[in-house]
Amino acid sequence: MKKLFLFLSLLASLSLEAQFVTTFAKNASESQSEGMMYYLPRNVIRLEFTIEETDSFIGPYAEFASQLLGTNDYIKESKSEYVVKNIDIQTFTETDPSAVYYIFQDEKSKEPMPNIIVSDNGVILAVGYDSFPQKYHVCNNTLIKNNLETIERVEVSFIEIPDSEVEIDDEEDDDEGGGNKKPRPITKEDKAKVALDKITNIRNAYFDLISGNQEIASGEIIKCMVEQMKNLENEYVSLFKGKTQRYTYKKVVYVTPESNQTNASLSIAKFSKNEGFGDASGKGETVKIQFERQNSLENIDRMSEEAMNTAQVSKLFYRVPASSQVKVLIGSNVIAESTLLVNQFGYIKVISAKNNKILFNPKTGQIISMLK
């Protein structure tokens, strides 16, 4: 009641020449119904992480790679590994719910309110103009949220060695007696040796082909046959060395800084090289965004909270944005950084709109032109 009384007292004391009154929306009297709202814009920071995922699949005959292929360069366990390849930092604007104002005609005013233009989402654009001048139009950068985390995975499979291709020389006695012999069971090592024989045969055929021991009329046919041989060889070699698949995808995180976070560090996610990108409660190193406001406002006085909550006569609230150094860290390592204008880190000021034609930047809420 006290706040309402003070507000009404202010209205009663206004000059007869006053055109309109602007006040913080939540302080508007419930009796005021003939007016309009306008917002100042705030920034949302969009962080687009480009992540490379490497999936390793152990080959079915990996245990024989050293013995039969003579190599220790093979996948020893199936796993996935993740690496952040790039971070793109952008800003978008939206209406600031903490900076919404109500404009209404003073009942005692003899002059009409000036024409006030707002955007589709309510951000103030101009005062005293019939339309927002085309030359001051800026690209629409309204935020459309998406996370882009989509991967078309390719199923990984290995070529099979059928039992029919395994020759068994050794035989074992029939357990039931009688002296009958039966083939011993086919083992994984038996199939690994068949795979090795196929690799050897393919390599020999490849050598004969490129050395000219086989007469092939067309060079294109040779090229095609060589490619097929190498692909088939790789398939059999992968039975020992395993296979790797790589995927690149994007993960997007949105951060809306608060005005009191001008020099803050915020945890936004977790990243693990073994488990990838997760939310802030997941496993891995902490992914942080860090703000360091620059000194662009050092010579500008800041309005007090009381002044910002006081009704203004024939004046409008606007914003002076602040420049901020924005850093993205994984653990203690800075992965990306950029200098950005962050509206809500700036100051809110007032400007007289009486007899003035004023244009505002839709992205920042800052004054870009004022004419008498």
Side-chain angles (χ1 to χ4, degrees), residues 239-298:
L239 293 173
F240 298 92
K241 300 184 72 172
K243 288 186 176 183
T244 299
Q245 290 279 10
R246 285 187 174 84
Y247 305 95
T248 299
Y249 62 95
K250 298 181 187 296
K251 176 68 177 178
V252 177
V253 176
Y254 300 95
V255 181
T256 306
E258 301 292 338
S259 59
N260 60 355
Q261 295 172 338
T262 53
N263 292 290
S265 180
L266 309 177
S267 298
I268 58 174
K270 288 287 182 67
F271 180 80
S272 166
K273 69 176 184 179
N274 297 319
E275 298 190 23
F277 203 96
D279 58 36
S281 62
K283 297 181 180 179
E285 292 187 287
T286 300
V287 182
K288 295 180 289 186
I289 185 168
Q290 182 174 300
F291 304 108
E292 297 176 6
R293 192 174 69 179
Q294 308 299 296
N295 294 324
S296 57
L297 304 177
E298 61 181 355

Side-chain angles (χ1 to χ4, degrees), residues 65-178:
S66 179
Q67 172 189 344
L68 298 180
L69 278 190
T71 180
N72 288 318
D73 180 21
Y74 62 94
I75 296 171
K76 299 173 177 62
E77 63 174 328
S78 296
K79 62 181 180 180
S80 296
E81 294 183 326
Y82 303 84
V83 176
V84 175
K85 304 295 289 185
N86 184 60
I87 302 176
D88 182 44
I89 305 175
Q90 297 181 12
T91 59
F92 292 81
T93 57
E94 65 179 14
T95 55
D96 188 346
S98 66
V100 54
Y101 302 94
Y102 184 63
I103 307 173
F104 58 93
Q105 176 76 41
D106 173 33
E107 296 177 354
K108 300 178 182 179
S109 175
K110 296 180 180 180
E111 301 179 35
M113 284 181 59
N115 190 42
I116 299 172
I117 303 172
V118 298
S119 66
D120 291 341
N121 59 352
V123 171
I124 191 165
L125 298 177
V127 176
Y129 286 85
D130 293 330
S131 62
F132 191 58
Q134 184 65 36
K135 67 177 181 179
Y136 290 109
H137 272 282
V138 294
C139 294
N140 183 11
N141 70 337
T142 302
L143 179 62
I144 301 176
K145 290 190 175 182
N146 56 70
N147 61 18
L148 301 178
E149 191 177 9
T150 56
I151 308 176
E152 293 186 7
R153 297 185 181 276
V154 178
E155 184 178 354
V156 173
S157 60
F158 292 90
I159 195 168
E160 293 186 4
I161 304 294
D163 291 352
S164 60
E165 295 190 12
V166 181
E167 296 182 2
I168 301 296
D169 295 329
D170 297 332
E171 296 180 338
E172 59 183 17
D173 291 334
D174 190 343
D175 291 340
E176 297 179 358

Side-chain angles (χ1 to χ4, degrees), residues 175-186:
D175 291 340
E176 297 179 358
N180 295 326
K181 299 286 186 178
K182 67 176 184 178
R184 65 172 175 79
I186 295 174

Side-chain angles (χ1 to χ4, degrees), residues 195-251:
L196 179 62
D197 289 340
K198 290 183 177 293
I199 294 171
T200 302
N201 293 336
I202 292 170
R203 288 174 176 173
N204 289 337
Y206 172 77
F207 176 77
D208 290 341
L209 186 63
I210 63 174
S211 63
N213 293 337
Q214 295 185 10
E215 295 184 4
I216 305 294
S218 170
E220 287 299 319
I221 294 177
I222 293 178
K223 182 179 178 181
C224 180
M225 291 179 66
V226 166
E227 183 178 353
Q228 291 179 351
M229 285 183 178
K230 296 304 292 182
N231 290 338
L232 188 58
E233 178 189 354
N234 290 336
E235 284 295 320
Y236 284 110
V237 169
S238 70
L239 293 173
F240 298 92
K241 300 184 72 172
K243 288 186 176 183
T244 299
Q245 290 279 10
R246 285 187 174 84
Y247 305 95
T248 299
Y249 62 95
K250 298 181 187 296
K251 176 68 177 178

Side-chain angles (χ1 to χ4, degrees), residues 6-15 17-25 27-29 32 34-38 101-109 111-114 116 309-317 350-351 353-354:
L6 292 174
F7 181 76
L8 295 175
S9 297
L10 173 65
L11 295 184
S13 65
L14 294 177
S15 166
E17 296 181 355
Q19 290 178 287
F20 62 91
V21 178
T22 307
T23 186
F24 193 44
N27 294 334
S29 169
Q32 293 294 333
E34 296 184 1
M36 66 178 296
M37 300 280 188
Y38 79 85
Y101 302 94
Y102 184 63
I103 307 173
F104 58 93
Q105 176 76 41
D106 173 33
E107 296 177 354
K108 300 178 182 179
S109 175
E111 301 179 35
M113 284 181 59
I116 299 172
N309 282 280
T310 300
Q312 303 292 326
V313 179
S314 295
K315 294 180 181 179
L316 292 172
F317 292 90
V350 292
I351 184 72
K354 187 176 181 180

